[in-house]
Amino acid sequence: MTKGYIVLETGDVFQGEWIGAEREAEGEVVFYTGMTGYQEILTDPSSAGHIVAFSYPIIGNYGIHPLYKKGEGIAAAAVLVSDLCDEPSHYGSIHSLEEELIRKNIPGLKQVDTRALTAVLRKHGSIKGKIVKEKETYAGPWKEIDTVSLIQSYSVSRIAEWGRGKYHLVIVDFGQKNFLLQYLAAKGYRVTVVPFHTSFASIKELKPDGVIIGTGPGNPSDLPFLLPTIKKIAEHYPVLGIGLGHQLIALVYGCKTEKMLLGHRGENYAVKNTETGKVLITSQNHGFTVMKDSIDSETFKVQFFNVNDGTPEGLLHQYLPVQTVQFHIYSEETAQVLDSYLQKVEAVRGIGYVHA
């Protein structure tokens, strides 16, 4: 096997064996804690620009399933695993993880001590890294992540439509996940997906009953030019923000965001609903959060918070039909959030809801 190395900007170097495409790759090195879900995290557009290290030691044991992808292709820049399963066992598997990496031209390393790597990441937080073929430490320069370029790679380039139904939703696309479109179509909604930079006037011409500000990669603070449009949308339509959309809506109303030391990347994050007291077990993949102390209680109520670190996971506007969630909506349990938003859409339809 060809040896390869993951070099961190801290100077730490971890050796492994090359898998997938034999080409060097650079990005922010992050760790994922889920025992399953490797296909979902790799295909999630929010993983763009990331070298994903899996802390669980056995990866690839159920192969690649055509229904488990969150987006088209693999968004992650590269993959780091400890023990890679070469012969997956699952009735729906079409090929192995390594075969998928080769098909999608994504590099990676196996036989990496990913738990020791995770310990380094937990100590230092956000770290850039590069997969290289030579053992000598790569000293840079380290490429900065361009949020706009990442989003342009995954947002639709033109308007697209899904499903048919009585109610019409517009999704502002920053790198949308497949489940949301499938769920809304199954619920009988007509969905129009528009590029992330679409103007308010263009959205208004589509005559939506509600607007979803979607999820995607990057730093929300790099997108100030979008905030006036999002504010107009929120003043005219029921709005749901998911992931990056949650953070952008918070910025619109004066909140602040910050980069987290470690981020939330896994399938087992406990999130508590402040209204019902119920705890949801959620899937998450984000490195930025809304700062709790920056939330104006006269504007927003914190509807969800993370049980482990107290970070806000969802907001409810105090007088507009605007709500947000940080976690993924892709399961029956978390879809209840989406259902509550759809009830608002249906309630105001035909009333001529406009907030001036």
Side-chain angles (χ1 to χ4, degrees):
M1 299 294 293
T2 304
K3 291 189 181 300
Y5 306 88
I6 174 67
V7 179
L8 305 180
E9 62 179 330
T10 57
D12 295 280
V13 181
F14 293 84
Q15 179 179 300
E17 296 177 357
W18 214 277
I19 57 174
E22 289 198 18
R23 64 176 180 84
E24 296 184 344
E26 184 178 346
E28 181 183 357
V29 185
V30 301
F31 63 90
Y32 176 80
T33 60
M35 295 173 64
T36 60
Y38 55 83
Q39 184 177 348
E40 288 87 340
I41 191 76
L42 294 178
T43 57
D44 184 351
S46 296
S47 293
H50 292 166
I51 297 176
V52 180
F54 292 94
S55 60
Y56 188 70
I58 304 173
I59 298 296
N61 53 317
Y62 53 88
I64 296 295
H65 193 294
L67 297 180
Y68 292 171
K69 59 184 180 180
K70 286 191 175 179
E72 299 304 320
I74 294 180
V79 181
L80 304 172
V81 303
S82 177
D83 185 4
L84 179 67
C85 178
D86 295 323
E87 298 182 359
S89 177
H90 190 280
Y91 72 92
S93 175
I94 54 176
H95 45 251
S96 70
L97 174 57
E98 182 168 14
E99 289 170 335
E100 182 74 355
L101 296 177
I102 293 172
R103 285 162 51 93
K104 303 300 185 184
N105 195 35
I106 302 297
L109 298 176
K110 67 178 181 179
Q111 300 302 319
V112 177
D113 189 344
T114 54
R115 293 196 169 183
L117 172 60
T118 299
V120 173
L121 298 177
R122 287 184 61 84
K123 177 181 178 181
H124 295 284
S126 175
I127 300 175
K128 295 184 180 69
K130 187 171 185 177
I131 292 181
V132 296
K133 294 184 177 180
E134 301 297 330
K135 189 173 183 178
E136 288 77 11
T137 301
Y138 175 76
W142 298 96
K143 183 171 60 177
E144 293 297 324
I145 294 176
D146 184 341
T147 297
V148 175
S149 294
L150 289 179
I151 292 172
Q152 286 175 333
S153 299
Y154 290 95
S155 175
V156 293
S157 58
R158 59 178 62 90
I159 292 175
E161 293 190 358
W162 284 64
R164 296 179 179 179
K166 178 180 178 182
Y167 300 100
H168 178 209
L169 296 177
V170 165
I171 297 179
V172 181
D173 180 29
F174 293 87
Q176 198 47 60
K177 297 173 179 58
N178 291 332
F179 173 84
L180 181 61
L181 298 174
Q182 295 163 355
Y183 185 86
L184 291 172
K187 282 277 189 177
Y189 279 77
R190 180 164 65 93
V191 180
T192 301
V193 182
V194 302
F196 74 99
H197 51 69
T198 303
S199 68
F200 172 72
S202 296
I203 291 175
K204 189 176 181 180
E205 287 179 0
L206 296 171
K207 299 180 179 180
D209 297 307
V211 179
I212 296 177
I213 311 297
T215 184
N219 183 349
S221 296
D222 292 342
L223 305 169
F225 59 94
L226 296 176
L227 300 186
T229 297
I230 295 174
K231 190 172 191 295
K232 287 182 180 179
I233 292 171
E235 291 174 345
H236 287 79
Y237 304 102
V239 173
L240 172 64
I242 307 173
L244 180 63
H246 153 80
Q247 298 160 10
L248 289 172
I249 289 173
L251 288 175
V252 164
Y253 290 98
C255 302
K256 296 180 180 179
T257 59
E258 64 179 347
K259 190 170 183 61
M260 305 171 75
L261 177 65
L262 302 176
H264 293 160
R265 298 180 179 90
E267 293 193 320
N268 57 349
Y269 286 95
V271 171
K272 188 170 184 178
N273 187 326
T274 59
E275 295 182 313
T276 66
K278 183 178 181 179
V279 173
L280 303 178
I281 302 302
T282 68
S283 170
Q284 300 191 20
N285 180 23
H286 64 100
F288 291 85
T289 185
V290 177
M291 297 174 65
K292 182 167 56 176
D293 294 341
S294 71
I295 300 172
D296 181 1
S297 61
E298 293 186 2
T299 303
F300 282 120
K301 174 182 179 180
V302 177
Q303 184 183 20
F304 296 99
F305 69 90
N306 190 290
V307 171
N308 296 323
D309 59 17
T311 53
E313 296 275 7
L315 303 174
L316 275 177
H317 201 283
Q318 295 283 26
Y319 55 89
L320 296 177
V322 174
Q323 64 187 96
T324 71
V325 291
Q326 179 65 79
F327 48 86
H328 292 167
I329 297 178
Y330 85 114
S331 67
E332 184 175 341
E333 186 177 28
T334 53
Q336 63 184 268
V337 177
L338 185 54
D339 289 340
S340 70
Y341 166 70
L342 297 179
Q343 290 172 7
K344 293 179 182 178
V345 170
E346 296 176 10
V348 303
R349 187 174 189 264
I351 297 177
Y353 162 69
V354 174
H355 175 72

